[in-house]
Amino acid sequence: MSILITLLAFAVAIGILVTVHEFGHYWVAKRCGVKVLTFSIGFGKPLLRWQRGEVQWQLAAIPLGGYVRMLDEREAPVPAAELNRAFNRQSVGKRMAIVVAGPLANFLLAILVYWAIFLNGVEVLIPRLGSIEPNSIAAKAGFLTGDTIVAIDRESVNSWAEARLGLIERAAAKASIQVEVVRPNGGTVSRTLDFADIDNEWIDGDLAGRLGMSIAVYRNELGPLLTDGAAAVAGLKQGDRLWKVEDKPTPDWNSFAAAVRARPNLPTHISVLRAGQPVEVRVVPKSVQDGDKAVGRIGAAPALDMDAIHALNKPVQYGVISALGQALHQTWATSALSLKMMWRMLLGNVSVKQLSGPVAIAGYAGKSAQYGLRAYLEFLCLISISLGVMNLLPVPVLDGGHLMYYFAEILRGRPLSERAMELGQRVGVGLLAALMVVAVFNDLTRLVGG
């Protein structure tokens, strides 16, 4: 059933995003007096098509995109009576407007959906740290359990999502940052995080966890276990109360996890309490690479204190104008972060392993759909923004590549030669093909590794 949900959620998302993008091109083309011949959702052989006025509407076999085909002398002869409606005969300003309308439609969709979300009211998670991993970067920097993050480099932080994004952005810049936190006793202190030597592969959505900080509050017992993991095979069970590892007391999850991580491939005696009675098992933690060192894993997760986590929820209600402001800010901030991450990936500050392809996107679509409508709508906004940003990149075959040609035409006073544009198209196709290969490889690596 989860596979069906994933496929359906992915298909609906792609269908909506492609339709909105192509409708942007279509709507502006019609307003500019250009004749539209075909509006296609998908590539390849049409599976369903119908004629409405001058336009042939169709659904095609390959659902990973779409196109709007306009009257154009470069593609086929145009009757003299319709030359004024050909795309290539339009002013450079009109052509630029038609091209940029697709990405702008994606940004507009994100703004409208975010607006609806904020109008409905949202709940944010207070950025209060419920767990600090011993000997982690966060622990060495002086963060403590119960600290509430209130600012990063003097920019106020109001939610855990803002804190995570702030850390990711600054880590990608390899910056040293100041994080202000309010202590449980009410005092405010500043802590320094230095990202100069951080592993590029750490810069992803789990960066905070890699630094050793989380808002999660753990009970001192085992949570879900992998059925084929070392813990389950040895006889440990979910709900077992943590007690000792190699006769050393481990009264909480952090001390238990640290003791297990320190013993990769080493026979380890673990003692737990089950129904108040001591139970001892012998486990051999599997050795896995974590950065430049091997650590032990037994296939066990901590038990979350859901009451404590729910207590972090803070309801926020917006009015019509303030909700629109939040929607614009969210769309702008996400767009800016996407561009910064792409640029830093080119500079080598962020690993190309962060690129995701259709398999990963489909997985995110399925997970968000199972979490509920709001999560799915937020996923839709994120992908819509990403689609808009990507299409504005100055890469031939993308909308941004065409804009680049038109800017060159403005500077030169005449269009680029057919030869130059053909060469650009080949380079653009090569670049996109290479990116797709890397993204799909990353998807498959995650599947195999997961």
Side-chain angles (χ1 to χ4, degrees):
M1 180 60 73
S2 61
I3 294 178
L4 290 177
I5 292 175
T6 295
L7 293 176
L8 181 60
F10 179 65
V12 169
I14 293 298
I16 291 173
L17 298 180
V18 170
T19 300
V20 167
H21 181 93
E22 299 306 330
F23 187 80
H25 292 311
Y26 167 84
W27 191 84
V28 175
K30 297 288 284 185
R31 297 307 176 277
C32 290
V34 175
K35 183 177 181 179
V36 177
L37 304 175
T38 307
F39 188 114
S40 179
I41 303 302
F43 299 112
K45 183 180 179 180
L47 301 177
L48 178 65
R49 55 184 169 186
W50 62 98
Q51 192 76 24
R52 185 176 179 184
E54 298 178 326
V55 185
Q56 176 178 283
W57 303 76
Q58 64 184 42
L59 295 175
I62 305 173
L64 297 179
Y67 61 90
V68 169
R69 187 165 69 89
M70 291 168 267
L71 194 68
D72 196 313
E73 290 177 281
R74 295 168 299 181
E75 296 184 0
V78 175
E82 292 194 304
L83 284 175
N84 65 316
R85 302 183 67 193
F87 176 80
N88 64 293
R89 290 292 183 107
Q90 307 304 310
S91 67
V92 67
K94 285 186 176 181
R95 281 179 278 145
M96 292 177 76
I98 293 169
V99 167
V100 79
L104 289 184
N106 286 122
F107 293 129
L108 181 59
L109 173 66
I111 291 169
L112 292 175
V113 174
Y114 274 136
W115 191 14
I117 290 173
F118 288 122
L119 271 176
N120 191 51
V122 297
E123 283 191 342
V124 299
L125 286 170
I126 298 171
R128 183 180 302 137
L129 303 178
S131 175
I132 301 295
E133 186 177 324
N135 300 316
S136 64
I137 294 175
K140 292 175 182 177
F143 289 91
L144 300 176
T145 297
D147 284 350
T148 300
I149 299 174
V150 293
I152 297 178
D153 282 345
R154 298 185 179 180
E155 290 186 15
S156 62
V157 170
N158 299 305
S159 69
W160 178 237
E162 289 183 8
R164 291 174 64 206
L165 285 177
L167 292 174
I168 292 170
E169 183 176 346
R170 288 161 177 81
K174 302 294 184 180
S176 177
I177 66 172
Q178 297 297 314
V179 181
E180 290 183 33
V181 299
V182 173
R183 288 276 148 92
N185 61 9
T188 301
V189 298
S190 181
R191 290 290 173 255
T192 302
L193 286 173
D194 188 356
F195 294 126
D197 298 321
I198 196 171
D199 191 327
N200 289 345
E201 295 184 12
W202 279 24
I203 305 174
D204 58 16
D206 191 39
L207 174 63
R210 296 177 188 275
L211 295 175
M213 59 175 67
S214 170
I215 61 169
V217 180
Y218 303 126
R219 299 199 300 270
N220 62 331
E221 61 185 53
L222 293 177
L225 308 179
L226 293 177
T227 55
D228 57 349
V233 171
L236 292 174
K237 296 181 179 180
Q238 183 172 345
D240 284 347
R241 193 173 182 84
L242 307 177
W243 189 19
K244 297 178 182 178
V245 174
E246 290 292 308
D247 286 330
K248 180 180 178 181
T250 53
D252 54 50
W253 173 259
N254 284 332
S255 59
F256 175 82
V260 170
R261 285 168 60 86
R263 299 183 62 81
N265 285 336
L266 295 176
T268 302
H269 289 92
I270 295 177
S271 301
V272 297
L273 296 176
R274 184 179 300 163
Q277 299 300 313
V279 175
E280 183 175 309
V281 299
R282 181 178 178 274
V283 183
V284 180
K286 180 182 177 182
S287 178
V288 298
Q289 271 318 110
D290 185 10
D292 58 354
K293 64 179 180 180
V295 298
R297 295 272 176 82
I298 60 172
L304 295 174
D305 186 338
M306 296 309 299
D307 290 337
I309 294 175
H310 289 320
L312 297 178
N313 284 324
K314 179 176 71 173
V316 180
Q317 193 69 46
Y318 297 96
V320 174
I321 302 302
S322 59
L324 179 58
Q326 285 294 320
L328 289 168
H329 171 75
Q330 186 72 32
T331 302
W332 170 258
T334 305
S335 302
L337 181 59
S338 297
L339 283 172
K340 289 177 183 177
M341 295 297 283
M342 289 179 188
W343 176 245
R344 285 162 184 162
M345 196 173 292
L346 287 175
L347 295 178
N349 292 339
V350 177
S351 173
V352 294
K353 291 184 178 180
Q354 305 309 322
L355 283 174
S356 296
V359 177
I361 294 172
Y364 299 144
K367 288 179 181 177
S368 65
Q370 292 178 58
Y371 289 150
L373 179 60
R374 182 189 158 189
Y376 185 68
L377 290 176
E378 289 178 339
F379 161 80
L380 199 66
C381 290
L382 180 61
I383 301 301
S384 191
I385 293 169
S386 299
L387 184 61
V389 170
M390 185 186 73
N391 269 281
L392 286 176
L393 295 178
V395 177
V397 312
L398 295 178
D399 294 328
H402 291 292
L403 291 175
M404 182 174 62
Y405 291 153
Y406 301 147
F407 277 119
E409 180 178 340
I410 292 172
L411 294 174
R412 298 175 76 241
R414 64 184 187 279
L416 293 176
S417 67
E418 292 289 335
R419 173 64 179 163
M421 287 192 285
E422 181 183 346
L423 180 61
Q425 296 295 95
R426 291 180 180 178
V427 172
V429 169
L431 285 173
L432 289 182
L435 284 175
M436 183 57 72
V437 168
V438 172
V440 171
F441 176 78
N442 289 344
D443 286 354
L444 296 177
T445 300
R446 294 185 190 104
L447 282 176
V448 173

